[in-house]
């Protein structure tokens, strides 16, 4: 019996048992996978961890009541207990008039597009190969410059997973995926014996898409060395350029404010903002689960609805929130096929949440900034989702005459997320979809920078 068939039988069994015990609706998800993580430091293995998992999740409904359970005990006794617990919890739950499964007429049907989400090569990488890849990455960092004298290590990880979703309405969906990643963290000694740590990483679903260990190690070394000799800058207002990594973090903060749960609870500054300006006219954001090899791509959502591309922001105007069936009912709408089911519970989430590339290169964007701050890293998380007020520690470089003049640290950037996104006056063309929330480098025309 194949793993897919085994998982389908497992999920189907939970649904059947729950229905026999009185559940009006039963939904089960069974998943399994295999993960490998290795780490080397100073050329020697420091960690080798490989593990498999298999688990099942059950959601049941009856009379407006909902209960969820999960288990990794897949024995007959374990499965029976999981179903019995779910039915007992139903009686303890409060009635929710908005509870219910996804409408049957919206459920997806095969055939599904091939999004190339699984790579057999990833599954076949063993610990010895993984260690060699990590060693090559760290060795390249040391070879790049003699000032790289220490290392926090280099790590390689790979994972493969498959899951089956079975709904009592008749839907059955199978999903498979893989991922491989390599990260290198060199260390250089700065004045005063301070250690400056940098890093760089690559991560994709297919092994062939990864950057080479040598390129990853060299870039990690470059990013470490450019931190040497940081200065402080006086408190001021100036343009701020966010590197694509830092920009993606800003966009992730925005993404957390457009989910249906935050909207109906009124815990987002974007409540009642559809059809209004929430960003610069340059800003276009899509949530697209149908990108081939995308980090969060999928052919159906957590409730079995066919995946679709949602245009969230167009020309700076908010076009839609992201909704599952529950939040859609709370708001009097239809789901945007944005349901996520990481376990037994269901809620709205983003998939590949992507800012559209701009029309200028990264270097030209920096060169067009006479004076300002270039942010590479942000620390802490000071954000009020209700007001949009934003404040985070940052480090990066000071821009003078269109050039990165010197590294800066121990500063804070602050403002309001709404004002920040409306203040984007330039977007680069360096988007890299190795994370599910991704943005190219962009510049905000003015922010408060707190320094000395």
């Amino acid at each position: 019996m194949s793993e897919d068939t085994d998982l389908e039988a497992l999920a189907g069994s939970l649904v059947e048992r729950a229905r026999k015990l009185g559940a009006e609706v039963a939904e089960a998800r069974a998943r399994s996978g295999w993960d490998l993580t290795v780490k080397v430091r100073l050329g020697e293995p420091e960690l080798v961890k490989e593990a498999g998992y298999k688990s099942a999740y059950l959601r049941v409904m009856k009379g407006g009541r909902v209960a969820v359970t999960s288990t990794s005990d897949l024995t007959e006794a374990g499965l029976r207990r999981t179903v019995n617990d779910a039915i007992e919890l139903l009686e303890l739950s409060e009635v929710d008039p908005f509870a219910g499964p996804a409408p049957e007429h919206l459920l997806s049907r095969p055939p599904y597009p091939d999004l190339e989400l699984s790579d057999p090569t990833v599954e076949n990488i063993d610990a010895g190969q993984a260690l060699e890849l990590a060693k090559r990455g760290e060795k390249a960092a040391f070879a790049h410059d003699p000032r790289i004298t220490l290392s926090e290590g280099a790590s390689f990880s790979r994972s493969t997973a498959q899951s089956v979703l079975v709904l009592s309405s008749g839907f059955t969906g199978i999903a498979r995926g893989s991922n491989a990643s390599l990260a290198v963290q060199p260390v250089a000694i700065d004045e005063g014996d301070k250690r400056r740590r940098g890093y760089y990483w690559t991560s994709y679903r297919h092994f062939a898409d990864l950057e080479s260990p040598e390129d990853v190690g060299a870039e990690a070394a470059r990013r470490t060395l450019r931190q040497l000799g940081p200065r402080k800058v006086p408190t001021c207002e100036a343009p701020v350029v966010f590197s694509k990594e830092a920009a993606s973090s800003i966009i992730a903060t925005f993404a957390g404010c457009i989910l249906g749960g935050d909207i109906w609870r009124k815990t987002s500054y974007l409540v009642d903002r559809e059809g209004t300006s929430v960003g610069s006219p340059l800003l276009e954001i899509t949530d697209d689960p149908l990108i081939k090899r995308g980090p969060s791509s999928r052919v159906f959502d957590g409730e079995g609805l066919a995946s679709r591309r949602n245009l969230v922001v167009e020309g700076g105007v908010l076009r839609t929130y992201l909704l599952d069936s529950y939040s859609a009912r709370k708001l009097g709408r239809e789901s945007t096929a944005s349901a996520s089911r990481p376990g037994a519970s269901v809620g709205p989430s983003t998939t590949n949440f992507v800012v559209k590339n701009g029309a200028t290169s990264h270097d030209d964007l920096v060169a067009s900034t006479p004076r300002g701050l270039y942010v590479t890293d942000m620390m802490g998380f000071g954000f009020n989702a209700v007001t949009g007020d934003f404040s985070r520690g940052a480090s990066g470089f000071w821009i003078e005459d269109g050039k990165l003049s010197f590294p800066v640290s121990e500063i804070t950037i602050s403002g309001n997320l709404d004002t920040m996104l409306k203040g984007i006056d330039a977007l680069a063309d360096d988007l890299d979809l190795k994370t599910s929330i991704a943005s190219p480098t962009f510049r905000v025309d003015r922010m408060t920078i707190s320094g000395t």
Side-chain angles (χ1 to χ4, degrees), residues 341-360:
R341 193 187 298 250
S345 298
V346 176
S349 74
T350 59
T351 57
N352 300 310
F353 197 77
V354 182
V355 175
K356 185 179 179 180
N357 257 331
T360 187

Side-chain angles (χ1 to χ4, degrees), residues 2-162:
S2 70
E3 185 67 12
D4 289 345
T5 303
D6 186 36
L7 292 175
E8 184 176 346
L10 172 59
S13 170
L14 290 175
V15 168
E16 183 179 355
R17 292 168 187 247
R19 293 279 284 142
K20 286 182 178 179
L21 291 180
E24 295 172 352
V25 175
E27 303 173 345
R29 180 171 179 254
R31 61 193 291 260
S32 65
W34 202 262
D35 300 330
L36 169 68
T37 298
V38 305
K39 181 179 180 181
V40 301
R41 185 171 179 273
L42 303 179
E44 296 297 325
E46 193 172 77
L47 170 71
V48 176
K49 181 174 69 175
E50 188 168 16
Y53 61 86
K54 194 171 187 177
S55 52
Y57 308 84
L58 178 65
R59 183 170 79 148
V60 293
M61 306 179 196
K62 183 178 180 180
R65 303 173 189 268
V66 182
V68 298
T69 55
S70 63
T71 185
S72 56
D73 178 1
L74 304 182
T75 64
E76 173 60 28
L79 297 178
R80 185 168 57 249
R81 183 169 55 251
T82 298
V83 177
N84 289 339
D85 286 349
I87 298 301
E88 288 181 13
L89 286 170
L90 270 180
E91 303 306 318
L92 302 175
S93 303
E94 293 187 6
V95 174
D96 185 341
F98 297 98
E104 287 189 34
H105 72 279
L106 296 179
L107 292 175
S108 62
R109 297 286 185 268
Y112 297 115
D114 180 11
L115 300 181
E116 301 179 7
L117 305 183
S118 185
D119 177 15
T121 303
V122 172
E123 185 176 3
N124 293 326
I125 296 172
D126 61 26
Q129 293 170 309
L131 285 167
E132 180 59 27
L133 291 165
K135 287 179 180 179
R136 285 169 55 190
E138 187 184 52
K139 183 179 179 180
F142 281 117
H144 181 74
D145 192 289
R147 290 174 293 175
I148 301 295
T149 56
L150 294 171
S151 171
E152 287 292 323
S155 59
F156 180 88
S157 298
R158 62 112 166 105
S159 63
T160 56
Q162 46 276 321

